[in-house]
Amino acid sequence: MQKLQTIDYLVFLFYFIVVAGYGFWIYNKKKSAQTSTKDFFLAEGSLTWWAIGASLIASNISAEQMIGMSGNGFSMGLGISTYEWMAAATLIIVAVFFMPIYLKNNISTMPQFLSQRYNKTVSLIMAIFWLLLYIMVNLTSILYLGALAVSGISGLDFYTCMVFLAIFAIIITIGGMKVIGYTDVIQVFFLVIGGLAATYLAVTLVSSKYELTGLVNGFKMMTQNHDDHFHMIYPKGNPNYMSLPGLTVLFGGMWIVNLNYWGCNQYITQRALGADLDTARKGLLFAAFLKLLMPVIVTLPGIAAYALYQKGMFQQEMLGVDGTFNQDRAYPVLLNLLPMGLKGLSFAALTAAVVASLAGKANSISTIFTLDVFRPYFAKDMSEKSLVMVGRVVIVIAMILAIVISPFMGIEKKGGFQFIQEMTGLLSPGIFAAFIMGFFWKRTNSAGAFFAIVGGLIIAVLMNFDGDAKALEVLGFNNLFPFDDWSLMPFLDRMGWVFVICIAVMFILSLVLPDEKKGLEIDASMFKPSTGFTIGASIVIIIIISLYTYFW
């Protein structure tokens, strides 16, 4: 199987020069005489709606999707796309209900929201949790899976690839959110064009294995011969039910995953927090339309790889370094089948996805540490220029930590995408409970928020790592729910129960303890979207319903 050829490297070099050169030009064009923290971290007022939307997708679609979700496409099928299509609906909810609250109350970071709504203790605890999650899970997994893919395609040493990706991301990140936002537009262009090219050639290759030609015939053969890979809802008894438990993906825990990720996540909301409401909403709607396209780029190639695997192709190539089958090798192996030139384009698309996500994640780590931990507790009088320098140093340190610890995280054991979902899922229910109650019930107090964030994490850990329900006796929940072994419950359902417990305890604590009267500035008129947004959002929802109906 051929590795990259000279023309592939030239295509990749063109991509590198365009992104780095454009980023440098943006940096010089838009830099202030004295860079402020708002300007560096939020690109205040300078990102257009299309830059916001593209940056959201570029930061979201990374190695865990290109590699991890393609791997799940190989093993599970189209059902894993529920994360993408439900995210499109979630983005509309965030645009209508969440973004007005943040912008009306001048929120710059998610810990700042918790400080303003509850107290500094809740804010600091959550900032530390987010920093640990972003570095230990997100940044490390993106870097690890990205290096795994780049190494598999290029033939370069794994650690060399890891260092190269980290350095490339640092170059983009130290220019601030303006550079990230506008270079992400180019990253998305390469991601979409290269991803579609890989999908097209993979599916047409399937058709050739049945002595047919064309994209339509390839897709037809895949659906006819591998029907089990083209269903969105898995019933009980299906081997994939533990990962995607039936209607839970439509009416249960999947909403907690998506609403927390897209609405309460510094990594994502940061792109829109520096814009006005109309621009932010347009950007989120644009991202929702792009989300509808993502399964074609990240899931369908994995299903095509499965179809080719069943026809006897790359039996050895799907084995990991330890000689066992590794589903996350599906996408890199598939890219090696592409012809010269297009392989370089797809390689650039994959690199773009990894670098954009690394840059976005590193910027969010830097933002939270600098604005929510370092400035209020260690440098209240430090100048804006010095704080920006601290932010840049944090970016480099975070990347170094990711390089050092990523090989020890066990990312490959469950597949990269599933690893991230389950680890993030330990915090998601409590965080979302604290945010959603803080948004819409003025009585919610700091004690309730503290329980949701800390207590929710403890309960989730007990459920995930100790299946015996007796482990919950210490918290008094062992007799409340009819489950003898939580480990037999899908993790999305466990998230749902943790969320229910957090909401219930928050409600009780908020009624029993004094009302702190720390509500937000909210009025009903701010939730009313424009006519154009409503029409666009309606189109997105209709498409989602049609997709689930067709692939039920």
Side-chain angles (χ1 to χ4, degrees), residues 46-103:
S46 66
L47 292 184
T48 59
W49 64 267
W50 46 268
I52 291 172
S55 188
L56 283 169
I57 297 303
S59 298
N60 167 245
I61 300 298
S62 184
E64 72 263 31
Q65 274 85 10
M66 301 289 280
I67 307 304
M69 192 171 281
S70 287
N72 285 126
F74 184 102
S75 60
M76 299 168 60
L78 193 64
I80 197 67
S81 297
T82 196
Y83 281 97
E84 303 299 298
W85 288 336
M86 291 298 286
T90 303
L91 279 162
I92 292 170
I93 294 174
V94 171
V96 174
F97 296 106
F98 288 31
M99 209 45 65
I101 296 175
Y102 292 143
L103 297 180

Side-chain angles (χ1 to χ4, degrees), residues 400-426:
I400 293 173
L401 286 173
I403 291 173
V404 172
I405 66 178
S406 60
F408 305 102
M409 292 300 292
I411 297 168
E412 286 189 82
K413 290 182 180 179
K414 287 194 173 185
F417 185 76
Q418 203 68 14
F419 168 82
I420 292 172
Q421 299 309 316
E422 294 195 18
M423 291 300 100
T424 304
L426 297 176

Side-chain angles (χ1 to χ4, degrees), residues 381-461:
D381 300 321
M382 184 174 282
S383 69
E384 292 281 291
K385 188 175 181 180
S386 297
L387 286 171
V388 169
M389 183 55 65
V390 169
R392 288 181 170 135
V393 171
V394 170
I395 289 166
V396 176
I397 293 173
M399 285 294 183
I400 293 173
L401 286 173
I403 291 173
V404 172
I405 66 178
S406 60
F408 305 102
M409 292 300 292
I411 297 168
E412 286 189 82
K413 290 182 180 179
K414 287 194 173 185
F417 185 76
Q418 203 68 14
F419 168 82
I420 292 172
Q421 299 309 316
E422 294 195 18
M423 291 300 100
T424 304
L426 297 176
L427 279 170
S428 295
I431 296 174
F432 182 56
F435 272 77
I436 201 70
M437 291 286 279
F439 284 158
F440 301 115
W441 193 36
K442 288 185 177 182
R443 176 96 190 183
T444 310
N445 59 27
S446 301
F450 181 86
F451 174 84
I453 293 170
V454 178
L457 173 62
I458 293 172
I459 295 171
V461 170

Side-chain angles (χ1 to χ4, degrees), residues 199 218 343 397 511:
T199 299
K343 186 186 295 185
I397 293 173
L511 289 178

Side-chain angles (χ1 to χ4, degrees), residues 192-259:
V192 171
I193 298 301
L196 289 176
T199 299
Y200 174 80
L201 290 166
V203 177
T204 53
L205 184 59
V206 171
S207 68
S208 70
K209 292 299 176 181
Y210 289 93
E211 299 182 354
L212 299 169
T213 58
L215 182 71
V216 174
N217 283 328
F219 185 76
K220 186 177 180 180
M221 289 299 99
M222 289 163 60
T223 55
Q224 285 183 358
N225 294 283
H226 308 289
D227 176 70
D228 60 319
H229 273 55
F230 286 91
H231 293 284
M232 296 299 298
I233 306 299
Y234 298 135
K236 276 189 176 181
N238 186 291
N240 299 311
Y241 182 81
M242 288 294 288
S243 297
L244 295 171
L247 293 178
T248 293
V249 301
L250 295 179
F251 305 108
M254 184 62 74
W255 283 108
I256 298 173
V257 172
N258 277 309
L259 285 169

Side-chain angles (χ1 to χ4, degrees), residues 340-379:
M340 288 188 299
L342 282 175
K343 186 186 295 185
L345 180 62
S346 296
F347 182 49
L350 176 61
T351 305
V354 175
V355 169
S357 286
L358 285 173
K361 187 64 72 178
N363 185 272
S364 294
I365 291 167
S366 175
T367 301
I368 290 176
F369 178 83
T370 305
L371 300 186
D372 297 302
V373 179
F374 186 75
R375 181 170 66 181
Y377 293 97
F378 302 102

Side-chain angles (χ1 to χ4, degrees), residues 328-341:
D328 284 342
R329 292 187 60 83
Y331 197 79
V333 167
L334 197 60
L335 291 191
N336 277 323
L337 298 176
L338 301 180
M340 288 188 299

